[in-house]
Amino acid sequence: MSSTPETPASAAPLQPEDLTGFFRRAERPDPRSHKIGTEHEKFGVVVADGSYRPVEYEAHVLAVMQAFMARYGWKPGGERGNDGALISLERDGASITLEPGGQFELSGKPLADVHQTCQEFTQHQRELHAVSQELGIAWLASGFHPFATREEVHWMPKPRYAVMRAYLPTRGQRGLDMMLRTCTVQANFDFASEQQAGTRFRLAMGVSALTTALFANSPYKEGEDRGFASLRSDNWTDVDAARCGLLPWAFQAPFSYQRYVDWALDVPMFFIRRQGRYIPLHVPFRQYMASGYVDPEGVRHSATQGDWELHLSTLFPEIRLKPYLEVRGCDSVRQNVVCALPALWKGLLYDDDASEAAWELVAGLDFGERLALWAECRQAALASPRVRSLCERLLAIARGGLERADIRDHRGRTESFFLDPLDALVAAGTSPADVARAQIGPHPGRDSAGRRAFVRAFHFAGAGLEDT
């Protein structure tokens, strides 16, 4: 369930029925076949020489990827970067990819239950820890880079990033920060029909603000607490209003694939891909589909199924519809909390009673109130009594859904036990951001001591904890 297709699926001419057909073909009518895919990103920091600086591609990230191939059976992915650079790995249905600033992302294999998902992520953390500790690299789980400036972060050699790097600053003030200085954990879920896709889409869009609060883990920017529990979430409000955020029509019945298509058709494109080359193209997809495009070399291009799928992968609403439903609103978190994300969403989405009860928590809000709740969740998170109360009820609903599913591990525990860390946070009224604040204070700074403190507070894998 990787977030962006490396190779468009088809070069066949695009037909109007293909637009919604992309979603219809993804339907899985048997709910027993519905799976979970989880994705997790983290920042790399060089600690071996005491510099605590962001990783570079050739000296650090490439070395980690090569070690993964040599020691753990990972293979090169399908797409290469600039000058043939290795930019992705694959193994047994899972993939590892690089985000623009060297963020290391595991896109897990679609799996049947959260027990399997957590086993997969535990294995990933152990592999990453073993390799990176030897290389003197630490990996940090935080929604926003806690100390690096934009200029300190190194770009990865992926061709598409050059187009995005030039275009996004024309759409908002913080697009480059989104690319270079944010990390997320997200999960992907199946649907049986158009109606179920709509029900799950509306629910997920409705309660996504609450999950932002539960996983809020980015209070720091350039060494200072900026007053937000989730700076990552705040950053997304000034990237590109056409393709990001909450979608008003998601709360207006009836849902249809065509409504999502109509929205997507009017969003300006990033690019098209031909023979491994990304060609900048920034008109709405509707215009491209109607008129085609003649590139600067005089070559005419017509819309293809591959172009459509690529375009859909460059839309960034809080909930995204692809061949699965992708929930996107959470900060990257450490290993002790990461498995709670797929568990929470599975409990809410894969149980009809839980879905109905969770929707009732937010059903009465108008769109302005939804935006206000989202803002409250990103700034105060669980420090807000209202948000804390809603999250407590949401967790209880999700726990009920997981208990009814009754899928147990070798110790007899249902998937609901993965929610225990979130229950503890809600009981204390503290988000992961508040845990970090209590550990290192409001002004850790950007000197060596401050950077070392950040590595310890947000450590996910690798070096950096040896002297604690």
Side-chain angles (χ1 to χ4, degrees):
M1 292 182 168
S2 180
S3 59
T4 304
E6 297 294 342
T7 304
S10 171
L14 187 64
Q15 304 299 320
E17 60 270 20
D18 295 331
L19 301 175
T20 57
F22 178 59
F23 305 117
R24 295 188 193 284
R25 290 190 297 273
E27 294 173 353
R28 302 173 69 93
D30 183 355
R32 294 171 298 180
S33 70
H34 291 189
K35 298 185 183 299
I36 310 156
T38 307
E39 305 175 22
H40 184 262
E41 301 167 353
K42 41 271 180 195
F43 297 110
V45 175
V46 181
V47 303
D49 59 3
S51 65
Y52 294 91
R53 69 187 190 279
V55 291
E56 301 175 40
Y57 172 73
E58 290 192 2
H60 311 114
V61 179
L62 178 59
V64 172
M65 299 178 78
Q66 290 172 332
F68 267 56
M69 291 192 295
R71 294 170 58 170
Y72 302 119
W74 290 84
K75 304 296 183 184
E79 187 181 27
R80 290 281 178 163
N82 302 337
D83 300 319
L86 179 68
I87 56 174
S88 64
L89 301 174
E90 298 174 351
R91 184 183 70 186
D92 189 29
S95 65
I96 289 172
T97 54
L98 304 180
E99 295 300 303
Q103 302 97 318
F104 205 72
E105 177 182 3
L106 173 67
S107 295
K109 178 181 180 179
L111 295 167
D113 59 64
V114 185
H115 299 302
Q116 294 177 15
T117 293
C118 205
Q119 290 170 5
E120 177 186 48
F121 271 77
T122 298
Q123 180 181 7
H124 172 67
Q125 190 272 341
R126 289 173 177 169
E127 292 177 355
L128 186 62
H129 181 75
V131 166
S132 301
Q133 192 169 41
E134 294 175 5
L135 294 171
I137 297 168
W139 296 95
L140 312 187
S142 173
F144 196 91
H145 203 297
F147 61 79
T149 65
R150 187 189 295 174
E151 292 72 26
E152 288 175 319
V153 180
H154 301 275
W155 288 89
M156 295 297 104
K158 295 181 73 167
R160 73 184 68 191
Y161 294 156
V163 179
M164 297 171 68
R165 182 180 184 178
Y167 177 63
L168 278 176
T170 71
R171 307 292 296 176
Q173 297 298 309
R174 291 189 275 180
L176 298 186
D177 282 331
M178 177 275 290
M179 295 180 72
L180 294 171
R181 298 201 284 177
T182 64
C183 278
T184 184
V185 57
Q186 56 196 51
N188 308 310
F189 297 90
D190 292 314
F191 46 86
S193 64
E194 185 171 26
Q195 179 181 3
Q196 189 178 75
T199 299
R200 292 179 174 177
F201 185 77
R202 182 186 69 166
L203 166 62
M205 193 74 74
V207 302
S208 64
L210 301 179
T211 64
T212 295
L214 285 165
F215 291 86
N217 191 35
S218 51
Y220 297 101
K221 177 181 179 181
E222 297 175 12
E224 300 292 323
D225 187 341
R226 304 295 175 142
F228 283 85
S230 177
L231 278 170
R232 181 207 57 82
S233 180
D234 185 62
N235 193 92
W236 274 106
T237 64
D238 194 12
V239 171
D240 182 351
R243 71 182 70 240
C244 303
L246 299 178
L247 306 179
W249 58 265
F251 306 103
Q252 302 165 1
F255 172 88
S256 67
Y257 294 141
Q258 189 61 51
R259 293 190 79 170
Y260 194 90
V261 165
D262 287 341
W263 169 72
L265 284 171
D266 290 328
V267 177
M269 303 164 63
F270 280 157
F271 36 54
I272 56 175
R273 186 169 183 258
R274 296 293 186 272
Q275 289 77 51
R277 243 180 359 113
Y278 288 87
I279 302 170
L281 179 57
H282 305 316
V283 301
F285 198 95
R286 189 186 303 277
Q287 179 180 331
Y288 171 52
M289 189 172 176
S291 305
Y293 172 63
V294 178
D295 69 25
E297 298 177 1
V299 178
R300 169 167 285 278
H301 303 278
S302 297
T304 68
Q305 180 71 25
D307 293 334
W308 177 235
E309 295 181 24
L310 186 61
H311 177 60
L312 290 173
S313 76
T314 66
L315 310 178
F316 307 128
E318 291 297 282
I319 309 299
R320 181 160 64 179
L321 188 62
K322 296 177 71 177
Y324 42 82
L325 199 68
E326 185 178 71
V327 294
R328 301 171 38 81
C330 297
D331 288 356
S332 179
V333 288
R334 299 176 71 175
Q335 180 68 14
N336 64 324
V337 187
V338 68
C339 297
L341 187 279
L344 173 64
W345 280 112
K346 183 191 176 186
L348 298 175
L349 294 175
Y350 281 3
D351 181 272
D352 290 343
D353 289 343
S355 296
E356 183 176 351
W359 172 245
E360 287 303 313
L361 293 178
V362 295
L365 302 178
D366 62 31
F367 191 67
E369 291 168 331
R370 296 184 192 282
L371 293 177
L373 176 61
W374 188 27
E376 187 176 350
C377 287
R378 78 171 65 98
Q379 183 156 19
L382 297 177
S384 158
R386 175 172 77 136
V387 172
R388 181 180 176 185
S389 174
L390 287 169
C391 287
E392 183 177 28
R393 294 159 65 188
L394 188 74
L395 284 172
I397 292 167
R399 186 176 290 274
L402 295 172
E403 291 287 348
R404 285 187 290 273
D406 197 27
I407 299 173
R408 297 179 181 268
D409 66 6
H410 67 284
R411 296 170 60 182
R413 299 175 298 186
T414 71
E415 296 160 296
S416 68
F417 95 92
F418 291 112
L419 300 180
D420 291 351
L422 297 183
D423 281 335
L425 290 170
V426 170
T430 57
S431 65
D434 296 316
V435 174
R437 286 163 162 158
Q439 181 175 342
I440 57 178
H443 310 293
R446 285 175 25 84
D447 61 11
S448 294
R451 293 180 182 221
R452 190 181 306 115
F454 283 124
V455 167
R456 292 169 176 168
F458 295 107
H459 192 272
F460 179 81
L465 298 183
E466 291 80 4
D467 59 347
T468 61

